[in-house]
Amino acid sequence: MDDALAKLLASLDRPAARATHPAAQPDAVLLAACSVHHTRGTGPGGQHKHNNQTAVVLTHRPTGMTAQASERRSAEQNKSVALRRLRLALAVGHREAVPAGEIRSGLWRERTRGGRIVLSPKHADYPTMLAEGLDVLAASGFDPKKAATRLGVSPSQLVRMIADHPPALVMVNDRRGDRGEHPLRG
């Protein structure tokens, strides 16, 4: 086999280059793109919570999306909770373009086996996988069969993963409703 053909075959198996979704960025990179605001917590939690600025509000400057947390006693713990919430908000509310061809990321390939998505909604990889699935679903006209085919999973697996985060399912069903399509059930 000549060298050019070998390179072509190798490139067909690699995902197309695409921008990194903000939900998939490392913590330090995502936090660098955010403004962090500390405030006093409200509600139950005792004097420490009311007298110290432990509540955290993160605002992702490029998108304007925000997330907050105040239920923990320390600002650092609240920042961690707010960061996860921001990742989920970005996964649902921000879309990245999807090129033609093979588009599954290395993470997607790792987390799928035999047409199934092997991932708990509580896992740290969930927001990244949700963002990738929603990007492909949007690029496929919110048709779960087309998106699932591109992602190498079954449509029911894709819908189940989306339904694990109710705001994602609401967003998808709103877009499908705009197109005159019936809503998906999780």
Side-chain angles (χ1 to χ4, degrees):
M1 176 180 333
D2 80 351
D3 212 26
L5 181 58
K7 285 181 183 178
L8 175 63
L9 290 174
S11 73
L12 293 176
D13 193 38
R14 268 185 263 137
R18 55 189 281 206
T20 300
H21 194 285
Q25 294 175 335
D27 288 353
V29 174
L30 185 54
L31 280 171
C34 292
S35 59
V36 181
H37 180 71
H38 294 272
T39 121
R40 288 187 185 160
T42 61
Q47 185 172 357
H48 177 82
K49 185 172 184 177
H50 299 299
N51 290 337
N52 294 297
Q53 294 191 340
T54 59
V56 175
V57 179
L58 299 177
T59 303
H60 187 247
R61 289 186 299 272
T63 62
M65 295 181 159
T66 64
Q68 63 183 354
S70 64
E71 60 270 20
R72 310 287 180 170
R73 286 180 52 97
S74 84
E76 203 55 40
Q77 288 174 330
N78 281 329
K79 186 192 298 185
S80 178
V81 172
L83 192 60
R84 172 146 175 105
R85 290 177 181 163
L86 180 61
R87 286 184 189 287
L88 288 167
L90 287 164
V92 172
H94 178 76
R95 298 281 58 87
E96 289 289 337
V98 176
E102 173 60 54
I103 44 84
R104 294 176 296 160
S105 68
L107 177 64
W108 190 274
R109 290 175 185 214
E110 265 178 45
R111 289 284 182 182
T112 57
R113 292 184 197 106
R116 297 183 55 93
I117 299 170
V118 183
L119 180 68
S120 162
K122 294 182 179 184
H123 195 279
D125 290 339
Y126 179 77
T128 301
M129 292 282 290
L130 180 63
E132 186 168 349
L134 290 172
D135 283 348
V136 175
L137 186 62
S140 301
F142 291 93
D143 181 340
K145 289 180 184 171
K146 288 181 185 176
T149 298
R150 291 200 71 193
L151 290 166
V153 297
S154 71
S156 62
Q157 284 285 299
L158 180 60
V159 172
R160 187 173 299 128
M161 182 190 70
I162 292 167
D164 281 338
H165 186 59
L169 187 61
V170 167
M171 182 277 292
V172 167
N173 283 334
D174 286 348
R175 297 304 169 279
R176 287 178 59 82
D178 294 345
R179 296 168 172 270
E181 299 286 336
H182 68 281
L184 301 175
R185 291 183 299 223

